[in-house]
Amino acid sequence: MKYIELVHFRKKLGLTQKELAQLLATSLKAVHSYEQGWRTIPENVYRQILFLVAQRNQTLSHRKNCWTLTHCPVERKRKCPAWLFKTGQLCWFITGTLCQGQIQGSWSEKIEQCKTCSVFKPILEF
């Protein structure tokens, strides 16, 4: 996540830097440093922000599950953590999903692929 995205999402969520710091269980100074681009935004912070955005984004409540949108075969679906935990609208949040038939590696690698996926794209439009 780039610092400009963090600022954008924080403002869309209607949060101050202090409120975001509290939600992320980090310091105000850390949030300020992320937003200035002085510090790299850690993966756990990136994931948490996207989760908050996804939960706030009302359009997602009517979204279909990933396995429906991608026409996932039954045998693949049954092995996928998104299916096992019934998180078809939050598949991007979970590491180890079987997107396109293979495990996508680390979460930071996976999210780059997710940015092009019809399941995840509406989150970025928040």
Side-chain angles (χ1 to χ4, degrees):
M1 173 177 270
K2 296 178 181 164
Y3 69 92
I4 294 171
E5 291 175 292
L6 175 63
V7 173
H8 168 78
F9 286 136
R10 178 181 59 78
K11 288 180 179 180
K12 284 292 214 175
L13 290 167
L15 299 172
T16 64
Q17 287 182 337
K18 182 178 180 179
E19 291 168 332
L20 182 62
Q22 290 170 334
L23 284 171
L24 299 174
T26 192
S27 69
L28 174 59
K29 187 174 182 176
V31 171
H32 181 72
S33 295
Y34 302 149
E35 289 193 2
Q36 295 299 313
W38 298 334
R39 288 175 63 181
T40 303
I41 300 167
E43 184 178 289
N44 65 314
V45 168
Y46 188 11
R47 285 175 79 167
Q48 182 70 14
I49 289 167
L50 290 177
F51 178 79
L52 295 171
V53 167
Q55 293 304 103
R56 179 67 66 87
N57 190 339
Q58 296 299 317
T59 62
L60 293 182
S61 62
H62 297 48
R63 299 283 301 165
K64 293 181 180 178
N65 290 312
C66 61
W67 50 82
T68 302
L69 289 171
T70 60
H71 308 288
C72 190
V74 174
E75 61 277 357
R76 182 186 315 156
K77 181 170 49 176
R78 288 185 179 152
K79 295 177 185 175
C80 184
W83 169 262
L84 294 172
F85 295 104
K86 305 299 181 222
T87 55
Q89 296 173 0
L90 292 172
C91 53
W92 53 269
F93 188 78
I94 301 172
T95 306
T97 56
L98 297 174
C99 306
Q100 299 177 355
Q102 55 187 322
I103 295 175
Q104 299 302 309
S106 72
W107 186 84
S108 56
E109 295 168 339
K110 172 189 164 66
I111 198 65
E112 291 306 311
Q113 178 182 334
C114 293
K115 288 179 181 179
T116 65
C117 179
S118 62
V119 177
F120 182 73
K121 282 172 107 173
I123 293 168
L124 298 178
E125 296 167 359
F126 174 71

